[in-house]
Amino acid sequence: MTHQPPAGPVGVLDLDVRFPEGRITVQQMHEASGLPLPDILNITSGTETIPVLGPDETAWEITRDAAEAVLARSGVPRSRITHVIYAGSGVWDRPAWSPAAKIAHELGIDRAHCFELGNFCNAGMAALQIAAEKSALYGGHVLLLLGDRLGRLVDYRDAATRPLFNAGDAGAALLVGPGDIRYRHLTSAMRTDASWADFWAGEDGPDGPSFRRAGTREGLGQVYLDNFVALADEVLGTLGRKRGDIGHLVINQGDRNIQKRLLDALDVPEENSVFTYGRLGHMASADTVICLTELAQRRTLRHHDLILVASSGMGFTFGITALEYQEAAAS
């Protein structure tokens, strides 16, 4: 089906997030790793349970449920969906398999191009950029799916992987295109510092793939900060804006200290961000959807507020995405 490019802006019409029923506790992490409980609680920012897929749960199913809710609320016909993108780490529920195609079939989307994007925790915002560009060029709507198995990739028996003990699982969906958009997609800038490519890597074992830390190199926190600040300034320059114009900043990040340092560097008050660490842990790309949802629930967003989304992923890739809140669509 051929669609005409939209006459107006494109962005996120609606979004949703779902969590698995499974949980991992800091007590279980302690028993498996031998690490002291206070050390683990420091990593999890005090939360004692984190959502993690249970043995009989799959990432694609909870992501499908989020997508179904988004489509039902939006009223956009399935025939208008031109692309279905499933974004994450690239470790899907089954090997050599397309979760994008599976979910499209389950939801009755039969004319779309379905494909996956692997960029780890940066995949969601990278896919949003692609979705916005495709919709702006060709028309139609893009169903963006954020489904990962991050928590199931953590081997709690390996104490060296403790920086990832706050990682969990969630499924999220965003409907991108023209119409009654809630978050207008303005622009984004991303870059990869490939010198850190081997810092974390997967390893196949009898229980499936697991993360392994491959080195003791120091300084990654400063790399995060330097790249985020540079990319934020690049995005602001593209928009003809300045740091004082940032209304809100959210981030998908496993380290609370990096978020606080970034907010300080860009002069954004902490109350204009969302901290999920002490409640949920790090939910991969779904962090950004959780944060945007919570911002809206506060009812402090105003029409045309500029929201910067800082995203990152192993590799290491860094990104800043600029969104503009549209009050009429969200009310």
Side-chain angles (χ1 to χ4, degrees):
M1 180 179 294
T2 301
H3 297 278
Q4 296 298 319
V10 301
V12 179
L13 283 77
D14 196 8
L15 42 75
D16 202 301
V17 63
R18 300 298 168 97
F19 298 98
E21 294 183 2
R23 296 291 186 273
I24 184 74
T25 68
V26 294
Q27 180 64 33
Q28 290 171 308
M29 298 177 196
H30 161 69
E31 293 171 359
S33 66
L35 291 170
L37 282 170
D39 291 357
I40 300 174
L41 285 167
N42 183 56
I43 295 166
T44 65
S45 297
T47 186
E48 296 190 0
T49 61
I50 292 177
V52 170
L53 290 165
D56 298 323
E57 292 183 291
T58 60
W60 80 265
E61 287 178 302
I62 60 174
T63 304
R64 174 205 58 199
D65 293 344
E68 192 167 31
V70 164
L71 291 175
R73 287 196 300 263
S74 71
V76 172
R78 267 57 165 179
S79 60
R80 287 286 303 174
I81 307 297
T82 60
H83 298 80
V84 177
I85 308 174
Y86 193 99
S89 67
V91 180
W92 314 132
D93 294 295
R94 299 169 62 187
W97 175 73
S98 173
K102 177 64 174 178
I103 292 176
H105 179 68
E106 290 263 328
L107 297 179
I109 301 170
D110 58 7
R111 302 290 297 276
H113 175 203
C114 305
F115 62 94
E116 289 71 42
L117 175 68
N119 199 209
F120 296 94
C121 299
N122 189 66
M125 289 299 104
L128 177 58
Q129 180 183 24
I130 293 171
E133 290 173 350
K134 285 188 175 296
S135 181
L137 284 172
Y138 307 115
H141 292 77
V142 178
L143 182 60
L144 175 54
L145 309 166
L146 313 183
D148 228 326
R149 299 173 57 82
L150 192 64
R152 293 297 297 273
L153 293 174
V154 179
D155 184 355
Y156 303 101
R157 298 166 299 183
D158 182 0
T161 66
R162 60 184 175 274
L164 303 181
F165 279 16
N166 66 347
D169 302 316
L174 305 91
L175 184 61
V176 182
D180 294 328
I181 59 177
R182 183 180 304 182
Y183 301 99
R184 180 182 179 184
H185 184 273
L186 300 178
T187 190
S188 63
M190 298 183 182
R191 64 169 65 154
T192 301
D193 185 339
S195 69
W196 292 85
D198 293 325
F199 189 68
W200 287 100
E203 177 182 276
D204 287 323
D207 299 323
S210 298
F211 283 123
R212 290 289 181 263
R213 188 167 179 170
T216 58
R217 182 179 176 185
E218 300 293 332
L220 184 57
Q222 190 63 43
V223 172
Y224 269 92
L225 185 64
D226 292 345
N227 279 282
F228 278 148
V229 171
L231 290 168
D233 286 337
E234 180 181 335
V235 163
L236 292 171
T238 298
L239 297 175
R241 310 288 287 273
K242 57 185 183 299
R243 291 184 181 181
D245 295 325
I246 302 171
H248 303 270
L249 185 146
V250 298
I251 185 171
N252 76 310
Q253 171 55 243
D255 190 329
R256 181 186 182 92
N257 292 328
I258 289 177
Q259 180 172 353
K260 295 182 69 172
R261 291 175 65 193
L262 177 60
L263 292 170
D264 289 342
L266 297 176
D267 298 320
V268 178
E270 287 191 19
E271 58 265 27
N272 289 4
S273 188
V274 177
F275 290 81
T276 62
Y277 311 97
R279 293 177 285 116
L280 290 172
H282 172 39
M283 301 287 106
S285 287
D287 279 348
T288 55
V289 178
I290 296 166
C291 291
L292 289 172
T293 299
E294 292 195 13
L295 274 183
Q297 290 171 345
R298 292 178 185 176
R299 300 190 178 278
T300 57
L301 288 172
R302 296 293 179 262
H303 192 47
H304 294 321
D305 271 1
L306 176 63
I307 304 170
L308 295 190
V309 181
S311 55
S312 60
M314 291 183 184
F316 270 81
T317 293
F318 308 92
I320 294 287
T321 300
L323 305 175
E324 183 183 77
Y325 183 69
Q326 306 292 295
E327 189 171 41
S331 61

